[in-house]
Each structure stands twice: as structure tokens, then as C-alpha cells.
Amino acid sequence: NDGTKLVQFQDKRDHLIGKVIDGRFEILERIGQGGMGNVYRAKQSSVGREVAIKVVKPSLSADRVAAKRFLREAKLLSRVSQANVVVVHDTGQAQDGALYLAMELVDGRTLSSLLEEVGELPAPRVMNIAMQICDALEAAHQLGIIHRDLKPSNLMLVDRNIDDIKLLDFGIARWRG
């Protein structure tokens, strides 16, 4: 009550959690966020599997350039079929107009989080991870897709075998076709 202007903070609750997108995907929890939007763990009701749903921010869904970029990511990523590249299941538009991409849910952790925790990795482990990255990029390059955002936070180490990786986020990929 001293006259100091108070700062208004945004509501931390995520309005999508608990909602059903496009009548098919129940949003369970947010598992990541990026420049274009958020990534959620969701349940696909038609087949009962858990998926990752990348939902574009509403403001970007209304932006033609951002929407085009997002749809390009979906199209490009769906063409790559390789064990070290995340699988795209579907894409669509939610009732509120937000674009989404339903993908394989990869349980694990990013390479960046591992490196923050342990620092350097032993050379044999680095070689194994590097070979998988090369395999993923080669599969994309054979289709004329250039990832352009290769970094540790876009590489997931799979829980079931910690040295298996999945390449994520083709959001700024280019197609040279």
C-alpha cells in the first residue's frame, strides 16, 4: 500500500491442458516450448496412443508467413523416413485456428540437458551419437531437405536406449527441390 505500481504477471496456467484439439487429441501436459509455440504430450483418442503435439501460437497461426513455414515443416518432415528422425503422424488446425503437428512422442532428454549435467562425453559415445546424426541428415538430404537448425536441444536421447537419438524440429528447414 505504498503507492508502488505493481507488475501484472501472465497467468502461468496453460489453457490447452485438458482440452481436446480437433476432436482427436487430448492435451495432457506441456513438455516443451519454442519460438513458434509449445509442444505437448497428448493422447490420440482414435488409436489410444500418446503423441507429441506442436501447437503454433495463435498470433503466428494467423500470420501467413509463419503458417506457411509451419506447414512446410510438416510436409518436409513427413517425407523423411529414417530411424533417427521423429515421425510425423498428422497435421491440422484446432477449433481456435491454431495450427498443430502431431508427431511421435520421444521419451527421453535432449542432448543439451545431458551435456549440461555431465559435461564431456567419452569419445566412443560421441562417435555413436554423431553417426546417428549423420544418418538422419543423410536421409533428409537425399530428399533435398536441409535442416538448418542442428543443435543439442534439437536432438533427443531416447530413454529405452540412451544412445539412440531422434532429430527434431525442422521448423527452418529448406527444400532444394
Side-chain angles (χ1 to χ4, degrees):
N1 244 351
D2 65 359
T4 303
K5 186 174 180 173
L6 298 176
V7 176
Q8 296 292 323
F9 293 99
Q10 286 186 333
D11 187 355
K12 294 285 184 187
R13 292 173 293 175
D14 192 314
H15 74 283
L16 284 180
I17 295 174
K19 301 267 170 112
V20 176
I21 291 183
D22 207 10
R24 302 182 302 151
F25 301 101
E26 179 187 358
I27 304 298
L28 304 174
E29 67 176 319
R30 184 169 59 193
I31 57 176
Q33 61 187 45
M36 288 192 79
N38 294 320
V39 179
Y40 299 90
R41 178 184 300 265
K43 185 167 187 175
Q44 184 177 5
S45 58
S46 62
V47 292
R49 72 175 159 199
E50 286 194 348
V51 296
I53 300 279
K54 183 177 187 177
V55 180
V56 175
K57 293 176 185 174
S59 60
L60 293 176
S61 289
D63 178 301
R64 286 183 184 264
V65 173
K68 189 174 179 179
R69 180 172 143 190
F70 182 78
L71 294 171
R72 183 183 68 238
E73 174 187 6
K75 185 176 182 178
L76 292 175
L77 190 52
S78 70
R79 294 178 56 206
V80 182
S81 178
Q82 200 275 340
N84 300 112
V85 177
V86 70
V87 175
V88 170
H89 296 305
D90 202 358
T91 188
Q93 193 166 29
Q95 299 87 325
D96 66 357
L99 297 169
Y100 71 85
L101 175 66
M103 303 171 282
E104 165 188 17
L105 178 65
V106 180
D107 285 320
R109 63 192 296 191
T110 64
L111 180 57
S112 61
S113 71
L114 175 67
L115 293 173
E116 286 173 14
E117 181 184 313
V118 301
E120 291 184 15
L121 297 176
R125 193 167 185 196
V126 171
M127 291 289 292
N128 181 42
I129 291 170
M131 291 303 294
Q132 292 177 74
I133 294 168
C134 289
D135 290 345
L137 292 174
E138 179 183 27
H141 290 179
Q142 286 178 348
L143 295 171
I145 301 166
I146 310 298
H147 188 279
R148 297 187 344 139
D149 197 18
L150 187 61
K151 58 188 177 188
S153 61
N154 283 340
L155 296 162
M156 289 288 292
L157 297 164
V158 181
D159 274 349
R160 71 179 178 276
N161 181 352
I162 195 65
D163 284 335
D164 283 351
I165 66 108
K166 289 281 187 171
L167 178 59
L168 312 173
D169 201 350
F170 280 69
I172 62 171
R174 288 279 184 239
W175 183 60
R176 49 177 178 101

